[in-house]
Amino acid sequence: MPSPSAVVPGVGIQALILCGPGVSLNTFTANEEFLKALIPLANRPLIYFQLSWLKKSGITDITLITPPSTVAPLQAALQQNPHLTSLPSPSPSVLAPKGLDLNMGTAELLRLPEVQACIKTDFLLLPCDLVCEIPGESLLEAWMVSQSALGGSSTVSEGRNAHGPTSSGPGGEQGGRRGGLSVYYQTQGREESVKGEGTDFVAIAPLGEDEAPAVSHAVDGPAALRHNLSKVVLSMPMATVKGKMEGDKGLLLRHSLTDKHPRVKMLSTFRDAHLYIFPYWVKELALRQERFQSVSEDLVGFWAKAEWQQGLGEKLGMDEIFHREYDHHAESGSHDGESIEEEIDLLAMSTTKSRLNVNVASSDPISFASRVKISDATEKPGLKIPPLLAYVQRGSAPFVRRVDSSAILLSTSLRLAKLESIEEAGAAASPFAHPQKIAHPEGIAQRCTITKSDCLIGQNTTVESKCVIKESVIGANVKICSGARLQRCLIMDGATVNSSCTLTGCIIGRRAVIGKDSVLKDSEVGDGYLVEDETDAKNEKFMIFEGLEDDEDMDGSEDFDSEDE
Ligand SMILES: *[C@@H]1O[C@H](CO)[C@@H](O)[C@H](O)[C@H]1NC(C)=O
Ligand SMILES: *[C@@H]1O[C@H](CO)[C@@H](O)[C@H](O)[C@H]1NC(C)=O
Ligand SMILES: *[C@@H]1O[C@H](CO)[C@@H](O)[C@H](O)[C@H]1NC(C)=O
């Protein structure tokens, strides 16, 4: 093993962060200045979490992609927000493709000429709401090592060893095709889990002998991560699966899947982190396949299927992308890749019947073997599709989460507030720890109770006497008046909580004001909203409606920052 310092996996790879408008967090993005990327999570803008993660991974070529309407506030934040300006240079580029609108799918976005021109190497694609504690360099290393195990580009492994990835770019693929890597995480049974969180359906299979990374026993560090890689063979939002199950009265899987991958596991409580390491050729795949709308559902979904579904890779034009010779005539004319095989009705397969029914809601992965042998005697030397590797994060650490709803914004903020500060933990502190739990202790009155272990209080914030604050995150320049009681709350910058309020499980937006003697439970208050004195509310959303703008259809189902809701 090379020593970690000899490995600089991030060099030569670029990253694209998709900065969508944040429809799913609309209480806090009503004002255009406050795009999703700038929503505070544990007192730092969301975009800080991806930028600092990428920088730590050695990636410096970072592009933020955002609609033209939000360029100005994003640029301003990059230049002025102290958390963002404190990140190591160079600062990221901002790309605002002319044709990018709020409802555009992520794969459509990749086809935009400006984005096509921007992609020059293998690339990481990630959303602006991702918090990931898995070291990026471990993911990159795992990906690179498995690529060389596959006989993929040797230039990548050379790059790792010494000279930098001199040709990991467009041309560096002669030795074989590089695959990709995507990350999934468990949504349930975690401290930060919330009710009704969306999940994805993902089926994974063990890597083949020839694909297995060179680690066969449990070890620590990046190698352990490599040991846990598998291959994605199906991936789609759970909502799509439920729709299919209703339509088909069961989940239909193809024989060829279970035939090729008898040890397939299906996961239904995990979520696609939308964090992908893609080889350069994916740029061309996205460009050619005009029917791909979303990266996660279409591009990743079809790629995963193409690995085992004969003829699909050709249909997707992968053969042409790979400029590879193959025998066109081997394919029988009457056979269509999409319908070549019968489908297996899993519900009808006796031994798995009840378990699958249950599984859709449970967290146990199920394994099953193919019961039905189909004759595929005429195995043709088809197109070899590079695998899409899956890293499935199962334990509660390291932490991975997409923060794309108010409930997750709150639960994740509270979780991050429990991290020991750098002051307390020193070098052992989490990469997301703050220097201090209470940034401005002078602002806290004498007779207050604040549980420091699970609270975070920002710069210049004042807390008057007789307040009780537990398990909460309070931003900068906030005023908490005397006798207020806060528990499990997220109070954003510049807000005011007047005297004797009791807030439990609430999110209070920037510069909002809560009138005195109010009692709020599990409620959200939008930016700048004024809650009257003595308000008593539970499960309410207070926000200023400015009316939807005509050109914005806020439907949000397929738009590029919330494509899987
Ligand atoms: C690998 O998987 C095992 C078993 O699922 C798990 O205990 C371990 O924490 C995983 N390691 C990493 C680095 O993900
Ligand atoms: C601190 O708060 C005061 C009064 O609320 C304000 O005038 C000042 O600008 C704030 N300072 C910073 C650094 O935000
Ligand atoms: C608190 O409420 C009182 C009475 O409604 C008001 O006069 C006062 O200005 C408020 N304080 C703050 C800090 O908003």
Side-chain angles (χ1 to χ4, degrees):
M1 281 296 319
S3 74
S5 61
V7 181
V8 190
V11 174
I13 289 197
Q14 64 182 120
L16 307 180
I17 307 179
L18 305 183
C19 299
V23 173
S24 53
L25 284 160
N26 66 345
T27 319
F28 310 104
T29 54
N31 182 333
E32 269 212 339
E33 247 175 85
F34 295 140
L35 55 166
K36 179 173 176 181
L38 302 179
I39 288 180
L41 170 70
N43 290 350
R44 285 171 172 139
L46 265 177
I47 191 81
Y48 169 88
F49 291 84
Q50 302 94 55
L51 291 175
S52 69
W53 180 81
L54 289 168
K55 300 263 175 185
K56 282 208 180 65
S57 314
I59 295 175
T60 51
D61 184 351
I62 305 171
T63 305
L64 312 182
I65 302 181
T66 196
S69 61
T70 48
V71 174
L74 189 56
Q75 290 278 24
L78 289 170
Q79 284 157 16
Q80 292 157 23
N81 184 292
H83 299 288
L84 302 180
T85 54
S86 72
L87 291 164
S89 55
S91 62
S93 328
V94 177
L95 182 66
K98 271 207 300 291
L100 177 55
D101 70 67
L102 299 179
N103 299 311
M104 187 168 269
T106 43
E108 293 176 81
L109 177 152
L110 289 184
R111 283 197 288 279
L112 293 170
E114 294 94 331
V115 178
Q116 284 278 317
C118 160
I119 300 173
K120 299 197 174 68
T121 64
D122 299 337
F123 59 106
L124 262 92
L125 189 67
L126 60 163
C128 73
D129 57 19
L130 181 74
V131 180
C132 180
E133 271 186 346
I134 306 169
E137 59 271 32
S138 300
L139 288 174
L140 284 165
E141 203 210 65
W143 173 71
M144 285 179 178
V145 171
S146 359
Q147 302 315 303
S148 35
L150 290 167
S153 168
S154 56
T155 54
V156 172
S157 51
E158 279 162 29
R160 283 187 58 241
N161 292 339
H163 318 292
T166 43
S167 49
S168 73
E173 300 198 325
Q174 291 87 349
R177 297 301 150 194
R178 285 201 289 283
L181 185 145
S182 60
V183 175
Y184 298 85
Y185 61 88
Q186 174 64 276
T187 57
Q188 297 185 0
R190 301 283 194 83
E191 181 187 330
E192 71 283 358
S193 297
V194 300
K195 269 198 202 118
E197 192 176 352
T199 61
D200 294 293
F201 176 82
V202 56
I204 53 172
L207 296 179
E209 280 294 312
D210 54 334
E211 304 163 326
V215 183
S216 58
H217 56 285
V219 277
D220 288 336
L225 192 150
R226 227 188 299 150
H227 178 62
N228 282 14
L229 291 178
S230 44
K231 190 157 45 177
V232 188
V233 294
L234 280 178
S235 180
M236 61 186 108
M238 207 57 208
T240 307
V241 176
K242 285 184 178 147
K244 277 187 201 292
M245 288 186 78
E246 272 162 32
D248 300 346
K249 305 271 184 292
L251 182 62
L252 300 174
L253 294 185
R254 284 166 190 270
H255 279 291
S256 56
L257 169 59
T258 49
D259 239 33
K260 181 152 182 197
H261 299 296
R263 290 169 61 209
V264 68
K265 276 187 180 155
M266 291 188 280
L267 312 173
S268 61
T269 60
F270 285 75
R271 191 150 185 226
D272 184 343
H274 290 196
L275 165 60
Y276 307 109
I277 304 178
F278 281 150
Y280 179 74
W281 60 259
V282 164
K283 159 184 167 175
E284 203 184 326
L285 179 63
L287 183 65
R288 284 165 156 261
Q289 287 302 323
E290 296 210 343
R291 64 202 169 117
F292 284 179
Q293 287 198 321
S294 114
V295 168
S296 58
E297 187 158 7
D298 301 323
L299 194 150
V300 163
F302 276 103
W303 177 0
K305 271 193 200 166
E307 197 269 339
W308 50 268
Q309 189 172 313
Q310 226 181 23
L312 183 56
E314 286 86 344
K315 276 195 156 183
L316 297 174
M318 286 170 134
D319 50 342
E320 287 170 32
I321 293 172
F322 301 160
H323 308 296
R324 210 174 122 167
E325 292 294 314
Y326 79 112
D327 187 4
H328 291 269
H329 308 290
E331 225 177 332
S332 154
S334 64
H335 280 164
D336 172 348
E338 293 281 3
S339 59
I340 198 163
E341 288 133 331
E342 293 161 57
E343 295 187 309
I344 305 170
D345 182 350
L346 276 179
L347 290 182
M349 289 162 59
S350 54
T351 54
T352 54
K353 188 172 179 175
S354 53
R355 291 200 61 191
L356 187 71
N357 269 326
V358 171
N359 183 256
V360 171
S362 84
S363 62
D364 290 335
I366 47 167
S367 304
F368 63 94
S370 172
R371 319 265 153 195
V372 200
K373 272 283 155 213
I374 58 154
S375 51
D376 195 7
T378 53
E379 219 1 76
K380 299 151 208 131
L383 178 64
K384 172 124 174 78
I385 306 293
L388 181 60
L389 303 171
Y391 175 70
V392 180
Q393 169 64 31
R394 296 165 192 278
S396 62
F399 182 76
V400 188
R401 206 85 188 177
R402 285 191 61 201
V403 179
D404 63 350
S405 73
S406 301
I408 301 177
L409 177 68
L410 177 60
S411 68
T412 305
S413 289
L414 300 187
R415 189 188 187 280
L416 293 171
K418 290 182 187 155
L419 296 175
E420 282 192 304
S421 65
I422 297 167
E423 186 181 65
E424 293 159 323
S430 151
F432 300 135
H434 280 264
Q436 290 104 22
K437 300 303 282 278
I438 299 176
H440 181 63
E442 298 79 4
I444 314 292
Q446 291 287 318
R447 294 169 52 221
C448 279
T449 305
I450 298 178
T451 55
K452 208 171 152 188
S453 61
D454 54 21
C455 287
L456 201 53
I457 299 184
Q459 280 295 341
N460 211 16
T461 281
T462 57
V463 180
E464 294 181 357
S465 62
K466 291 181 274 178
C467 286
V468 179
I469 301 177
K470 292 179 177 166
E471 226 193 324
S472 293
V473 172
I474 298 175
N477 296 305
V478 171
K479 189 168 166 60
I480 310 282
C481 300
S482 61
R485 305 176 75 87
L486 272 54
Q487 186 163 11
R488 286 189 302 103
C489 287
L490 167 57
I491 316 283
M492 297 187 190
D493 295 356
T496 301
V497 177
N498 210 328
S499 51
S500 306
C501 284
T502 302
L503 310 184
T504 314
C506 293
I507 311 181
I508 311 299
R510 281 158 285 208
R511 297 196 286 274
V513 177
I514 311 299
K516 69 180 171 59
D517 297 319
S518 291
V519 179
L520 305 184
K521 191 163 190 293
D522 301 328
S523 294
E524 280 176 44
V525 179
D527 292 324
Y529 194 93
L530 245 137
V531 174
E532 285 177 27
D533 291 354
E534 297 173 42
T535 300
D536 193 336
K538 193 178 168 188
N539 282 318
E540 277 193 51
K541 227 178 182 184
F542 298 88
M543 60 187 288
I544 303 165
F545 286 97
E546 285 168 339
L548 297 181
E549 285 163 40
D550 303 338
D551 58 339
E552 291 174 9
D553 164 18
M554 293 304 223
D555 143 273
S557 55
E558 268 294 332
D559 75 8
F560 75 90
D561 76 324
S562 57
E563 59 180 22
D564 54 3
E565 272 163 44

